[in-house]
Amino acid sequence: MEISTLATYHCLAFVWYFFVAYSITHLKTEERPSEVFLYGGQWKYLTVLNLVLQAVFYGVSFLADVLRLIKKLRCAKCVISSRDLLFSVLAFPVSTFVCISFWTLYTYNRELVYPKSLDGVIPLWLNHAMHTAILPFALLEILALPHRYPTKKKGLILLGFVAFLYISWILWIYSVTGEWVYPLFALFSPPGLAAFFAGSLAIIISFYNFGEFLNRMIWGQSKFS
C-alpha cells in the first residue's frame, strides 16, 4: 500500500478511535446506572482502555507515515519501531481478546459482562464500535503493512507485564469497593479466579502468537516497512 494511502487510513482510524473513546468517556453522569462507573470510572474496563490503546497506536502509525512522506527517515525509523512494538505486543492481541471474550460471554450470559441496564446508556452502535469493529481493524492493519515483531521472550514479557498491571488494578478496585469490575468474577473462589486469570493470559498469548503467524504468512520474514 502506498505511504499516502496508509497515512490517510491511519489518520481516519485514529480519528475514529478518538471519537469512540471520547463518546464512551463523556456519557452523561445522570444517565449511568448506579452500579456502573463508580470507583475508577470507565478506566477499570479493558474495553475502554483498549480504545485508548488503539487511538495511541493509530496516532503513532500516522506520525510514522507522515515522517516517511516528508523524508525524515531517521525519526521515522524510531517511530516505526514503537508502532510495531505497540501493534504486536498490545494492539492486536488485546483487541482480539476483547472482541472474542466479550461476545462469547455475552452470548452465554450477558449479565456477567454487559448488564441489560447498559442498553439505555450505551447506544447499540457504540457497543459494536467498542466490541465488534476492533477485530476487523486489527486484521486490516496486518493486511495493510508488515510489522516487525520483537523476540518471543521480549514480546511475552511485555505482554505479561501489562496483563499483570491490569489484574492488579482489578484487584485493587475490589479491595477498595468490595465489588468486582465484572460480575463474572464474583462466581469464582480465589483459586478459581486465579485459574481464570491464568487461562485468560494463556488465551491472549495465543492471540499474540496468532498475530505473529499471520504477519509472517502474509509478509514473510524479511519484508518490513
Side-chain angles (χ1 to χ4, degrees), residues 43-130:
W43 306 111
K44 58 179 173 281
Y45 297 108
L46 185 59
T47 294
V48 177
L49 295 175
N50 179 59
L51 294 176
V52 176
L53 167 65
Q54 301 303 321
V56 170
F57 164 70
Y58 282 106
V60 172
S61 297
F62 176 60
L63 176 60
D65 298 333
V66 170
L67 290 173
R68 293 173 69 194
L69 283 171
I70 63 177
K71 307 301 182 182
K72 298 290 186 179
L73 300 183
R74 181 175 298 180
C75 294
K77 184 177 180 180
C78 179
V79 177
I80 287 172
S81 296
S82 300
R83 177 201 69 189
D84 289 347
L85 190 65
L86 269 174
F87 181 76
S88 60
V89 175
L90 295 176
F92 182 84
V94 173
S95 60
T96 305
F97 178 80
V98 167
C99 179
I100 292 179
S101 62
F102 174 83
W103 288 113
T104 299
L105 292 170
Y106 185 98
T107 301
Y108 174 71
N109 182 357
R110 65 169 298 176
E111 294 298 318
L112 297 177
V113 290
Y114 194 83
K116 194 172 180 61
S117 57
L118 288 178
D119 288 345
V121 179
I122 301 176
L124 182 61
W125 73 266
L126 188 52
N127 182 21
H128 283 292
M130 295 188 298

Side-chain angles (χ1 to χ4, degrees), residues 12-220:
L12 292 174
F14 167 74
V15 171
W16 167 251
Y17 274 113
F18 183 87
F19 169 70
V20 174
Y22 179 88
S23 298
I24 192 64
T25 56
H26 285 76
L27 291 172
K28 295 181 180 179
T29 304
E30 62 270 17
E31 294 179 353
R32 301 174 183 175
S34 59
E35 72 273 16
V36 180
F37 305 142
L38 296 178
Y39 187 86
Q42 297 98 326
W43 306 111
K44 58 179 173 281
Y45 297 108
L46 185 59
T47 294
V48 177
L49 295 175
N50 179 59
L51 294 176
V52 176
L53 167 65
Q54 301 303 321
V56 170
F57 164 70
Y58 282 106
V60 172
S61 297
F62 176 60
L63 176 60
D65 298 333
V66 170
L67 290 173
R68 293 173 69 194
L69 283 171
I70 63 177
K71 307 301 182 182
K72 298 290 186 179
L73 300 183
R74 181 175 298 180
C75 294
K77 184 177 180 180
C78 179
V79 177
I80 287 172
S81 296
S82 300
R83 177 201 69 189
D84 289 347
L85 190 65
L86 269 174
F87 181 76
S88 60
V89 175
L90 295 176
F92 182 84
V94 173
S95 60
T96 305
F97 178 80
V98 167
C99 179
I100 292 179
S101 62
F102 174 83
W103 288 113
T104 299
L105 292 170
Y106 185 98
T107 301
Y108 174 71
N109 182 357
R110 65 169 298 176
E111 294 298 318
L112 297 177
V113 290
Y114 194 83
K116 194 172 180 61
S117 57
L118 288 178
D119 288 345
V121 179
I122 301 176
L124 182 61
W125 73 266
L126 188 52
N127 182 21
H128 283 292
M130 295 188 298
H131 298 116
T132 307
I134 54 176
L135 183 55
F137 267 106
L139 293 173
L140 182 57
E141 179 66 22
I142 283 186
L143 293 172
L145 74 163
H147 296 83
R148 185 180 296 275
Y149 272 66
T151 62
K152 183 75 70 175
K153 180 180 179 180
K154 179 180 179 181
L156 294 183
I157 287 176
L158 289 173
L159 180 58
F161 178 69
V162 172
F164 171 78
L165 289 179
Y166 181 65
I167 292 172
S168 298
W169 175 226
I170 289 175
L171 295 176
W172 171 257
I173 291 173
Y174 178 75
S175 71
V176 172
T177 66
E179 299 288 337
W180 287 110
V181 171
Y182 298 102
L184 170 69
F185 297 157
L187 301 178
F188 296 103
S189 64
L193 189 61
F196 177 83
F197 285 147
S200 297
L201 179 59
I203 291 172
I204 202 169
I205 287 174
S206 72
F207 291 145
Y208 170 91
N209 290 327
F210 180 61
E212 185 178 29
F213 169 77
L214 287 179
N215 187 73
R216 184 173 63 251
M217 290 297 294
I218 295 171
W219 298 104

